[in-house]
Amino acid sequence: MPPSKNGFVLLVVNIFSLVSGDGVSVTGSDPADKRTQSPSLSPATTKSASDSFVPLSLLSSFAEDPDMSDYCSELLGVFGQRYVAHVNCLVPAARPVKVCQNCFSSYGGLVSVYSNISTELGPGNVSCRDNLLRMDRLMLVYLLYSNSLDVWTKSKCQHCVTDKFQGLTNSTLYFMAILNQTLTCFEKYKQGNHSEICKNCNSSYKGLNELYSRMEKNQSLCIDIEDAMNMTRRLWSTDFNCYVPHKETVPIIAVSSFMLFLPIIFYLSSFLHSEQKKRKLIHPKRAKSYSSLMNIQDKLN
Ligand SMILES: *[C@@H]1O[C@H](CO)[C@@H](O)[C@H](O)[C@H]1NC(C)=O
Ligand SMILES: *[C@@H]1O[C@H](CO)[C@@H](O)[C@H](O)[C@H]1NC(C)=O
Ligand SMILES: *[C@@H]1O[C@H](CO)[C@@H](O)[C@H](O)[C@H]1NC(C)=O
Ligand SMILES: *[C@@H]1O[C@H](CO)[C@@H](O)[C@H](O)[C@H]1NC(C)=O
Ligand SMILES: *[C@@H]1O[C@H](CO)[C@@H](O)[C@H](O)[C@H]1NC(C)=O
Ligand SMILES: *[C@@H]1O[C@H](CO)[C@@H](O)[C@H](O)[C@H]1NC(C)=O
Ligand SMILES: *[C@@H]1O[C@H](CO)[C@@H](O)[C@H](O)[C@H]1NC(C)=O
Ligand SMILES: *[C@@H]1O[C@H](CO)[C@@H](O)[C@H](O)[C@H]1NC(C)=O
């Protein structure tokens, strides 16, 4: 019998002793106390806590959900174990993020038991879906599972883990190997002058950056890789104060210096243009005045 049922039965016992008003404090919730101090309960209560006993007949029909087969409560127990295992894996993997690397197999276990609950038929064609997943408003099993699914999709772990949760993808393993090289280089030259790191690790760091941007284009990043790169970049530029010109900065500098020269080019060209116009305008005027001058001279002559 799963622990949840026992918990429910104990709760019923506590409520019962409260209602019967025999003055027993229910806050000290040691179940052994309750059993000795509630004489109205059946003799079955003297058995060990793991055994079930029969409380009030009305409540007993309630405590044992008739729709809940042994098969389904077994599945629920397996779900609980795997959920706990997965959460125990996730929490220590929060910082630095290793959620995908460390927890893909515990997540795979959870997914398989959930799909067993939601789709598979058990013995006698029993499906536990209606029973475990949507019998009440809370839908706790579904809620817990969908939170884990949320963590998984937000982390984009499916990009780093092979189908069926068998292992990490080759590109992830390759990135981790290159990352290890870079970090090992950092480690080697960390003592003393940081400019040593900038000089000796620049090719390794550059290679890592290039691999990362290739993977970015390839849609093969997950949070583990993003976070590792983020931390490495921060180490490089903030902690070690190193600098490697990114490939993207070169065209940016070219474009922005072109933009800077645009006004100068504009004024220069408009100046030259107007000069040219002036000359063109002056020329016929001069010719005209010259001819009129000639006319005057003609008249004078
Ligand atoms: C579903 O769970 C039952 C009970 O644990 C197990 O016998 C069965 O093999 C599982 N099926 C799958 C497909 O995991
Ligand atoms: C379960 O269902 C399948 C098809 O839906 C049927 O062939 C089989 O006989 C059923 N088994 C039992 C034990 O009812
Ligand atoms: C990943 O690498 C392993 C061993 O290096 C190789 O056997 C496997 O085919 C590779 N998988 C892919 C998808 O490239
Ligand atoms: C790199 O890998 C080696 C062997 O696989 C390991 O001993 C070392 O701790 C790793 N270094 C880092 C910084 O992860
Ligand atoms: C680090 O080394 C460079 C030359 O390699 C030198 O100019 C600088 O002063 C050194 N800095 C420290 C803190 O030793
Ligand atoms: C790394 O830095 C050294 C010294 O600053 C330089 O000679 C070398 O070309 C750099 N390598 C790369 C790949 O940028
Ligand atoms: C990008 O994807 C292609 C094909 O899907 C693959 O061959 C290549 O190895 C991937 N590159 C990286 C860096 O993952
Ligand atoms: C990288 O680190 C900064 C904080 O330094 C954080 O705000 C940002 O979300 C991180 N990026 C990723 C992809 O994790």
Side-chain angles (χ1 to χ4, degrees), residues 134-192:
R134 39 175 141 161
M135 204 61 168
D136 54 76
R137 179 174 66 79
L138 183 59
M139 306 199 293
L140 181 63
V141 172
Y142 169 77
L143 200 61
L144 292 174
Y145 176 73
S146 99
N147 276 337
S148 314
L149 180 62
D150 247 19
V151 172
W152 188 258
T153 35
K154 272 201 184 127
S155 309
K156 296 197 243 157
C157 287
Q158 75 272 21
H159 293 157
C160 289
V161 173
T162 57
D163 294 342
K164 309 206 172 154
F165 311 103
Q166 268 152 0
L168 297 172
T169 59
N170 279 355
S171 63
T172 305
L173 291 173
Y174 184 63
F175 178 86
M176 291 303 166
I178 300 292
L179 176 72
N180 183 312
Q181 275 179 18
T182 307
L183 293 181
T184 307
C185 182
F186 286 0
E187 204 61 43
K188 193 166 153 196
Y189 295 103
K190 208 163 76 177
Q191 264 71 41

Side-chain angles (χ1 to χ4, degrees), residues 122-140:
N125 283 350
V126 180
S127 166
C128 301
R129 184 173 59 168
D130 297 335
N131 210 295
L132 292 180
L133 298 187
R134 39 175 141 161
M135 204 61 168
D136 54 76
R137 179 174 66 79
L138 183 59
M139 306 199 293
L140 181 63

Side-chain angles (χ1 to χ4, degrees), residues 86 89-90 92-105 151-161 167-169 171-173 175-177 179-180 183 208 212 215 220-234:
H86 185 49
C89 175
L90 283 179
R95 282 309 315 161
V97 186
K98 289 190 189 310
V99 161
C100 307
Q101 293 164 78
N102 289 359
C103 304
F104 66 85
S105 79
V151 172
W152 188 258
T153 35
K154 272 201 184 127
S155 309
K156 296 197 243 157
C157 287
Q158 75 272 21
H159 293 157
C160 289
V161 173
L168 297 172
T169 59
S171 63
T172 305
L173 291 173
F175 178 86
M176 291 303 166
L179 176 72
N180 183 312
L183 293 181
L208 185 70
Y212 183 82
M215 290 176 80
S220 45
L221 295 181
C222 60
I223 188 63
D224 293 25
I225 293 178
E226 289 170 62
D227 183 63
M229 194 67 225
N230 210 355
M231 293 212 306
T232 311
R233 282 178 173 159
R234 215 174 314 148

